[in-house]
Amino acid sequence: MILDQIDLIDSVIARQVRGIIDELKRSDAYAADRHISLMWGGGKDSTLALLMLAACCEQLQWQLSSASMLHPGMPKGALDNIAGVSRNIAVKHRFFLFSKQSYVEDESIGKKWIRLYRRLYTAVHGSPRFMCLACNLGSIVTEFSVLSTAATHFMATGNMPWELAHFESWLNDFRGSFGDLANMPSRTGNLQLDYFRAWHCVYSSLLLELFPEPTEYKTAIDEFLYAYPADDAPISNVKRLSLFELRYGTEIIPSQHHDVLRAFGWRLPDDIIGCSESDCAYPAAIAYLNIRRNGREQHLLDIGRAAARFHPLPEMVVRAKEQTINGRAESMGLQQLTDMGVLPQSLRETNVEQYPVAMRLLSQLFVIR
């Protein structure tokens, strides 16, 4: 039993799992044969969440499935962790390329993402976070697609608990922030439905900025976005579940529970630049642009701030700083940008007034999760 294995390794995580099981049993959605889905990037946070969910579902005799957003920046180490852990706990796992299920060997992956990257790079005038806008789009679309293609009753998250706690107020702020740029629909009172409808409106407006020609825009909508959710969309009945929420007076910080991860086959990848050990897209390219724009010292400070907020494994922080100091982050980042065809010296002047949605999304990057 997975819970018994966890109990031998980490009593804090085992106690958290038992608390989640009790919480689910008290839920008004509790019944036999429920289905929980999890977005899994292959990093420590979502992998610990997956292991905790697997223990819960084994005890409750519920179904569990996981899904990952597939893009060309996924390092081999993250893919190996996804393959190894899913095999060790026998969980059903799928990859998605935006709204469609895909496979690692799919040759169209790079072409679609790079097409989007290039447009965003121009729109935000080479901001180091241009790819993060693409990944945020991809993760929202993948999540919607997962919830729409499986009979899911709960959507679990490995995000920090404060994000879920403030979900409703965040959604209200988000709608207000983009109300003048996107035709926001009326609220329905269903948080899931309102959430995915709001994102649909914002992203359809973003894609119109990036692909203004009618034929291009239609192709982009078909490739990168889901259909506008109907009133009876399956996502309207899904409940969100936070696994790291404060229970029993103990906050769960995944980097402090590395032994549980190792026990089920997760390993710290050695082929990653930066502080993200999961599916972050081309972090070396982001590092290169950030160093070129703000300097190496500022980039080191940014690494420290990110570490304080998101609690990466200490080894990752040390590695990220070493890669910055020895220049490896910049050399690899330049190669990644070259492969994408978005060299900084080729950046043409951008009229930011043409891209108000992209620029506003960029300004809220660390608020949007």
Side-chain angles (χ1 to χ4, degrees), residues 102-120:
S102 188
Y103 302 92
V104 175
E105 300 81 11
D106 187 345
E107 294 182 357
S108 69
I109 295 169
K111 293 178 181 178
K112 288 187 177 181
W113 277 99
I114 290 173
R115 182 165 166 253
L116 184 60
Y117 288 155
R118 287 175 175 173
R119 298 297 176 102
L120 282 168

Side-chain angles (χ1 to χ4, degrees), residues 126-333:
S127 164
R129 294 289 175 177
F130 75 96
M131 286 180 294
C132 299
L133 296 184
C135 284
N136 198 72
L137 163 61
S139 65
I140 297 294
V141 173
T142 297
E143 183 180 24
F144 179 86
S145 303
V146 169
L147 297 181
S148 299
T149 57
T152 301
H153 303 95
F154 292 91
M155 185 67 179
T157 174
N159 286 5
M160 294 299 101
W162 50 264
E163 296 181 8
L164 191 59
H166 300 290
F167 182 73
E168 185 170 2
S169 61
W170 171 87
L171 180 57
N172 290 335
D173 291 343
F174 176 67
R175 288 172 57 91
S177 295
F178 289 90
D180 61 326
L181 297 177
N183 186 21
M184 287 289 180
S186 301
R187 291 180 175 87
T188 67
N190 183 297
L191 285 180
Q192 292 282 58
L193 193 59
D194 289 344
Y195 175 76
F196 285 109
R197 281 183 172 180
W199 272 121
H200 184 279
C201 290
V202 170
Y203 280 139
S204 58
S205 298
L206 174 67
L207 291 173
L208 184 59
E209 286 182 358
L210 302 179
F211 303 95
E213 293 297 322
T215 302
E216 273 194 324
Y217 176 63
K218 182 180 184 304
T219 300
I221 290 289
D222 291 342
E223 283 186 347
F224 300 126
L225 194 57
Y226 50 83
Y228 185 79
D231 290 343
D232 59 350
I235 52 103
S236 62
N237 297 317
V238 177
K239 295 185 179 294
R240 289 184 179 264
L241 173 66
S242 172
L243 298 174
F244 300 151
E245 185 179 341
L246 189 66
R247 294 178 175 92
Y248 306 112
T250 303
E251 181 182 359
I252 302 299
I253 299 175
S255 59
Q256 298 176 357
H257 303 278
H258 195 186
D259 289 346
V260 176
L261 298 172
R262 282 196 295 258
F264 289 90
W266 189 91
R267 298 292 180 266
L268 179 62
D270 58 8
D271 60 341
I272 290 177
I273 297 290
C275 287
S276 174
E277 71 295 311
S278 61
D279 61 349
C280 185
Y282 299 116
I286 296 173
Y288 172 87
L289 292 172
N290 195 42
I291 292 168
R292 289 289 170 169
R293 176 170 291 196
N294 302 313
R296 191 170 291 181
E297 290 301 318
Q298 182 60 50
H299 186 66
L300 289 169
L301 290 174
D302 291 344
I303 290 172
R305 278 197 291 268
R309 185 175 187 187
F310 297 111
H311 307 289
L313 293 167
E315 304 96 302
M316 293 295 294
V317 180
V318 172
R319 184 192 299 179
K321 289 182 177 179
E322 288 176 348
Q323 292 162 344
T324 300
I325 293 168
N326 64 26
R328 186 167 180 239
E330 289 178 79
S331 61
M332 286 192 66

Side-chain angles (χ1 to χ4, degrees), residues 63-135:
Q63 298 178 60
L64 170 63
S65 62
S66 62
S68 300
M69 175 183 69
L70 188 59
H71 61 76
M74 289 190 80
K76 183 177 183 299
L79 292 170
D80 289 345
N81 277 329
I82 289 172
V85 174
S86 60
R87 182 173 57 249
N88 290 340
I89 63 173
V91 67
K92 179 183 178 182
H93 180 263
R94 294 179 294 169
F95 284 106
F96 277 78
L97 179 58
F98 295 99
S99 61
K100 296 178 177 60
Q101 189 172 347
S102 188
Y103 302 92
V104 175
E105 300 81 11
D106 187 345
E107 294 182 357
S108 69
I109 295 169
K111 293 178 181 178
K112 288 187 177 181
W113 277 99
I114 290 173
R115 182 165 166 253
L116 184 60
Y117 288 155
R118 287 175 175 173
R119 298 297 176 102
L120 282 168
Y121 183 75
T122 298
V124 298
H125 200 61
S127 164
R129 294 289 175 177
F130 75 96
M131 286 180 294
C132 299
L133 296 184
C135 284

